[in-house]
Amino acid sequence: MEIGLIAIGAGLAVGLGALGTGYAQARIGAAAMAAIAEKPELTGRAILLVALPETLVILGFAVAAMAILLLA
Amino acid sequence: MRKIAVVGPRQMLAPALERLHGARSVELICAASVREIPAEPLPPDPVRDGRIAALRSLTVRLDGLLELSGEAPAGEGAERHTGVVDAAAVARDLDAVAADVRERLGAIEALEEEQALLPRYVRPMRAILGLVPELARLNDAQLRGLGLETIALVLATEDDALLDALRSELVHRIGDGRFELVSAREQAGVLGCLLVFSRERSDAVHALLRDEQVRHLPLPQRYEHLSLRSALRAIEQRLTELPDQEARARADLARLLAEHCGDWVVARAGLGAELERLEAHALAAVTARAFVLAGWVPEPALPGVRAALADALGDAVAVEELRVPARDAETPVLLHQPAPARPFESLVRFLDTPRSGTLDPTVLMAIFMPVMFGAMVGDVVYGAILLGLALWGRRRFGAGSPLARDLGSVLAVGSAWAIGFGFLYGEALGNAARRAFGLDALWFYRGSPDALEPLLLFALALGAAHVVLGVVLGAWQGWRDGRPRDSLEKVGTLLVLIGLFTVAGVVSDVLGTGALPVAAIVAIVGLVLVLTLHGALGAVTGALELVGTVGNILSYLRLAAVGLASVYLAIVANEFAVVAPAGIGVVVAVLLHALNVALAGFSPTVQALRLHYVEFFQKFLTGGGRPFRPFGAEGVAGR
């Protein structure tokens, strides 16, 4: 397959995943900050919640890596 | 952790509390609420309550002064104090100093206010002076000689008709040609005006302004007698002097506080200790002749507590162990680690404190987290820089902040691993050492196109090991806690994972195809266990649980992703240094490497933490533990 198309596909996989992660983290982060302002002892939990959507971009990275390794 | 009851003659309650306070090993609880203790709460004592109120008031005042001086209440000297503090003497000392402190604070506040207020006059006064240059040239004596008075007005209006109305009213009250009214629009909605008139008409003008409620700009009193020009000069001159005066006032206050600080810290520790002892009386239970105290004590400290009480009070006071139900949620938790793992305790507590009797993951975190950090950074030079920064930060901030000390230690261990992985990857400032000195990778170089596969496999292998360990610990924890269903469910998950790993081994030609039937049987058994143990909705929740666990392993791919981002940023920086014109290229390269080091210190730490909190701890950690807070440790908290 055309190497350029594979590269575009890999980029899209990571980029769209990152967009989704960013959108989710923005909303969770805002809510987490509000919660921390009320209860500072929730900081650890808040980090955990903010970090959760990162799985999306990591899965995007996994798909991109598979595209490069298997198709290129 | 042992639950104890201390029993003795009622008159020995105070000395017993004093001994327990000194031992700093017992967390007192309300004795009257313990089922096994048939005694009433200690009745209130007005004398004791009065003393408590007085001590609270004194400690609050001392805390305020110590905060003002920048000294922590439990600073140096807090542990030196042993005897009882003369509260009356401390109060007299505070009264004597308080007036001086208040006076200096008042002076500082006045100077701050002046600095905030005066600039507001400068701009309008300059604008008004520009309107009447003739007036600007007159000095005070000349103005007085002319018998003139000036008033600056600020009209909050967009409408110039208001100015005309004011002018016609002035004509009406003091006569035409007896005043001059000039104006300039300072900003939208604000009209700055200057009214010049004969001093003889002063009363009439002021009456008009008062009647019509026209807001004028009164100068501070010290500038009122000056002409506009002189007042403006004096204000500008004053604004240049104020910062120095404020600095001198602050230094004066700091000197005054420093003279007393040492004594206050010692007094605060003594008063705090007495207050703690007096307040602890409320936790005691009594009968007609005896007192009972109840509390928690770590098992190794119990003989010491017994000995401390026996030495001071003899056989009159007895320590009895109380029965504690297994997995009692009320039991406080004292995390106790080997020294190398201790800095990681803060990171575990950051999420949650493990419940009493459950697994404490600190040691495991101390093993895995630095490895993950090192695997992500994986650069000899970056690792060395971070190691230096960590050791410097630990020395610089560690004395004042236990958290900073712990984080410094965690970063130092991670950085050491980063140097080790740097040699495995053959990276020092990315590919700089590889290009300059031919540094070869002991394992594989991450910047090579062939590195993606081994890097991903390494990340997945580390993830699989970590998650499997978490699942095994979860199964063991469930079995220990008498939750066989949870334990079997974890075993089922484990079997499915083994099946999947075997299939992966067969696909990648590591294992022969003969392993496939075994893998299928193991996976099916595991699947059945997981799906059936989840109850009626097992087909859905069990499947989700399994998918989640596989997702957890895939999540470790971030170790590769963050590492690749780091190494490619370093390569780009090095390319800049080579391709761009000499000076610029090197500057850009240095900036990019600095950015990369900053990212390397932050991002891998957060990612490694997340992998522990989300992927690892959730498999077995039972949180909600209550940290052990020994009676008597308050005075030295933070040390």
Side-chain angles (χ1 to χ4, degrees):
Chain A
M1 192 183 284
E2 186 68 42
I3 192 79
L5 288 176
I6 295 171
I8 290 171
L12 279 175
V14 175
L16 292 175
L19 279 176
T21 297
Y23 177 73
Q25 282 192 327
R27 304 198 65 166
I28 297 171
M33 285 301 115
I36 291 171
E38 293 280 334
K39 284 187 169 184
E41 65 270 23
L42 291 178
T43 307
R45 302 272 173 102
I47 289 179
L48 190 149
L49 290 172
V50 173
L52 276 180
E54 282 172 5
T55 307
L56 287 176
V57 71
I58 296 300
L59 292 178
F61 171 75
V63 171
M66 281 167 62
I68 291 168
L69 286 175
L70 300 179
L71 302 178
Chain B
M1 195 66 69
R2 299 286 177 176
K3 194 176 188 181
I4 58 165
V6 180
V7 186
R10 194 163 166 170
Q11 69 273 17
M12 283 192 177
L13 173 59
L17 277 172
E18 197 171 327
R19 283 289 140 186
L20 292 176
H21 190 266
R24 289 181 192 161
S25 304
V26 181
E27 179 181 321
L28 290 179
I29 56 174
C30 181
S33 66
V34 177
R35 201 162 34 86
E36 297 94 324
I37 299 175
E40 296 297 315
L42 186 69
D45 175 0
V47 177
R48 189 176 61 238
D49 292 347
R51 176 79 178 164
I52 287 174
L55 289 179
R56 273 188 192 150
S57 159
L58 266 182
T59 51
V60 167
R61 289 176 70 189
L62 274 172
D63 286 349
L65 286 167
L66 287 171
E67 193 183 336
L68 201 62
S69 68
E71 184 80 36
E76 291 300 323
E79 279 186 312
R80 285 204 301 269
H81 193 274
T82 49
V84 174
V85 175
D86 183 354
V90 174
R92 278 197 301 276
D93 180 38
L94 288 187
D95 289 341
V97 180
D100 290 341
V101 171
R102 263 199 301 274
E103 187 189 318
R104 283 161 176 79
L105 280 176
I108 291 169
E109 205 171 303
L111 289 168
E112 282 175 345
E113 263 180 32
E114 213 177 335
Q115 285 186 84
L117 186 70
L118 288 183
R120 290 188 209 159
Y121 291 96
V122 173
R123 209 173 135 200
M125 285 172 80
R126 275 192 194 138
I128 289 169
L129 272 180
L131 292 173
V132 277
E134 303 83 1
L135 197 67
R137 279 195 293 273
L138 296 179
N139 60 26
D140 299 343
Q142 287 168 324
L143 268 177
R144 270 197 300 275
L146 288 171
L148 294 177
E149 186 175 333
T150 58
I151 291 181
L153 302 171
V154 178
L155 303 178
T157 178
E158 286 283 2
D159 188 5
D160 287 348
L162 186 65
L163 198 64
D164 296 335
L166 181 62
R167 186 170 278 122
S168 61
E169 192 61 31
L170 282 165
V171 170
H172 175 67
R173 297 246 185 144
I174 65 174
D176 198 7
R178 291 176 181 276
F179 68 93
E180 188 63 46
L181 180 63
V182 288
S183 67
R185 191 163 286 285
E186 264 288 298
Q187 59 199 61
V190 178
L191 198 61
C193 312
L194 180 69
L195 179 60
V196 188
F197 53 94
S198 167
R199 199 177 292 276
E200 294 164 7
R201 303 287 176 177
S202 181
D203 291 343
V205 171
H206 282 287
L208 164 68
L209 296 178
R210 194 172 52 246
D211 295 346
E212 300 299 325
Q213 296 185 340
V214 178
R215 187 160 64 92
H216 65 119
L217 192 68
L219 279 173
Q221 208 173 0
R222 64 190 294 180
Y223 306 105
E224 265 182 351
H225 66 286
L226 299 174
S227 71
L228 258 177
R229 189 177 61 168
S230 302
L232 179 60
R233 276 192 194 150
I235 288 175
E236 286 173 337
Q237 173 67 25
R238 179 78 182 141
L239 278 171
T240 59
E241 294 166 359
L242 280 171
D244 280 348
Q245 282 193 17
E246 192 194 332
R248 277 199 298 276
R250 285 190 185 281
D252 192 25
L253 175 66
R255 228 179 355 260
L256 174 69
L257 293 170
E259 284 171 20
H260 300 270
C261 237
D263 293 341
W264 287 342
V265 168
V266 176
R268 173 64 180 84
L271 293 173
E274 188 185 347
L275 184 61
E276 222 182 337
R277 288 196 295 269
L278 288 173
E279 286 177 333
H281 280 76
L283 298 172
V286 288
T287 62
R289 293 174 188 281
F291 78 84
V292 189
L293 290 165
W296 297 97
V297 55
E299 199 172 338
L302 184 54
V305 171
R306 283 185 198 276
L309 287 168
D311 287 349
L313 308 171
D315 294 339
V317 174
V319 178
E320 295 291 327
E321 276 193 52
L322 300 175
R323 203 171 50 80
V324 183
R327 313 277 170 262
D328 179 23
E330 290 301 311
T331 309
V333 178
L334 176 65
L335 298 180
H336 186 70
Q337 321 294 342
R342 226 163 278 159
F344 292 84
E345 204 177 290
S346 305
L347 296 176
V348 172
R349 277 208 305 260
F350 202 48
L351 178 71
D352 210 342
T353 304
R355 191 170 292 178
S356 172
T358 63
L359 270 169
D360 173 8
T362 309
V363 173
L364 291 169
M365 193 178 200
I367 295 169
F368 281 101
M369 193 176 156
V371 176
M372 291 177 188
F373 181 91
M376 280 185 270
V377 178
D379 188 293
V380 177
V381 176
Y382 289 173
I385 292 172
L386 289 173
L387 181 61
L389 285 174
L391 294 177
W392 173 80
R394 194 175 178 279
R395 180 177 289 188
R396 174 76 179 75
F397 305 108
S401 162
L403 182 65
R405 191 183 57 223
D406 288 350
L407 289 179
S409 303
V410 169
L411 187 59
V413 183
S415 304
W417 275 96
I419 295 172
F421 271 99
F423 284 113
L424 288 176
Y425 298 147
E427 289 173 28
L429 281 180
N431 60 350
R434 190 180 178 82
R435 286 167 74 158
F437 313 112
L439 177 68
D440 277 333
L442 296 176
W443 189 8
F444 61 86
Y445 167 57
R446 288 185 297 178
S448 150
D450 303 330
L452 191 55
E453 193 176 335
L455 188 60
L456 293 178
L457 284 176
F458 168 59
L460 285 176
L462 190 55
H466 209 215
V467 170
V468 165
L469 178 62
V471 174
V472 170
L473 291 174
W476 181 70
Q477 181 73 59
W479 193 259
R480 241 184 80 182
D481 288 354
R483 292 180 281 116
R485 284 173 72 92
D486 289 354
S487 184
L488 281 175
E489 183 209 318
K490 291 278 190 289
V491 170
T493 305
L494 205 58
L495 291 176
V496 174
L497 287 180
I498 290 169
L500 285 177
F501 294 154
T502 311
V503 171
V506 172
V507 170
S508 55
D509 292 334
V510 175
L511 298 172
T513 49
L516 270 180
V518 181
I521 292 168
V522 169
I524 287 168
V525 171
L527 203 60
V528 169
L529 272 176
V530 172
L531 298 186
T532 52
L533 288 169
H534 267 276
L537 291 172
V540 179
T541 54
L544 281 176
E545 177 82 22
L546 282 175
V547 171
T549 305
V550 174
N552 288 157
I553 294 173
L554 287 179
S555 185
Y556 285 75
L557 285 174
R558 73 188 63 228
L559 298 177
V562 174
L564 277 181
S566 170
V567 71
Y568 275 106
L569 187 56
I571 291 171
V572 168
N574 295 337
E575 285 301 316
F576 260 109
V578 174
V579 174
I584 301 170
V586 172
V587 170
V588 173
V590 169
L591 287 175
L592 281 178
H593 279 302
L595 172 71
N596 213 3
V597 170
L599 286 175
F602 180 71
S603 186
T605 310
V606 172
Q607 299 302 338
L609 265 183
R610 179 231 143 93
L611 287 174
H612 279 80
Y613 287 170
V614 181
E615 273 76 17
F616 187 49
F617 287 177
Q618 286 196 353
K619 298 281 177 288
F620 65 92
L621 182 70
T622 312
R626 189 170 61 80
F628 175 65
R629 296 187 197 286
F631 174 52
E634 194 70 24
V636 288
R639 289 185 67 83

